[in-house]
Amino acid sequence: MTTDFSIGQLAQLFDIPVATLRYYDEIGLLTPARVNPHSHYRYYGTPQFERLSTIKYLRALGLPLATIADFFCGP
């Protein structure tokens, strides 16, 4: 059984603006687990939680988004 969280729920859980999550999706940094084809609502699962936690940590260290994207592309 998988549990999906809406973009609003994820934003609330991680104390991050919905607009930021949309931007992360736009640049390919954090893509949702699935997108409803009719409503275009984004839904996130627990794998995205781990990635978002890492993004938030690296941002807190002052790393730019381009460097964080490179981090995820590395081995």
Side-chain angles (χ1 to χ4, degrees), residues 9-75:
Q9 291 171 319
L10 188 69
Q12 186 175 23
L13 286 169
F14 282 86
D15 192 29
I16 190 167
V18 169
T20 300
L21 293 172
R22 288 188 181 122
Y23 180 66
Y24 287 173
D25 182 21
E26 182 181 315
I27 64 171
L29 189 60
L30 180 71
T31 55
R34 70 180 182 87
V35 178
N36 183 306
H38 302 292
S39 66
H40 303 287
Y41 285 2
R42 296 168 176 92
Y43 294 97
Y44 298 83
T46 52
Q48 286 77 33
F49 281 31
E50 182 179 339
R51 188 170 177 116
L52 184 55
S53 291
T54 303
I55 293 168
K56 283 193 66 161
Y57 175 73
L58 294 174
R59 290 294 292 151
L61 293 176
L63 273 70
L65 292 177
T67 303
I68 295 171
D70 290 343
F71 170 79
F72 286 116
C73 290

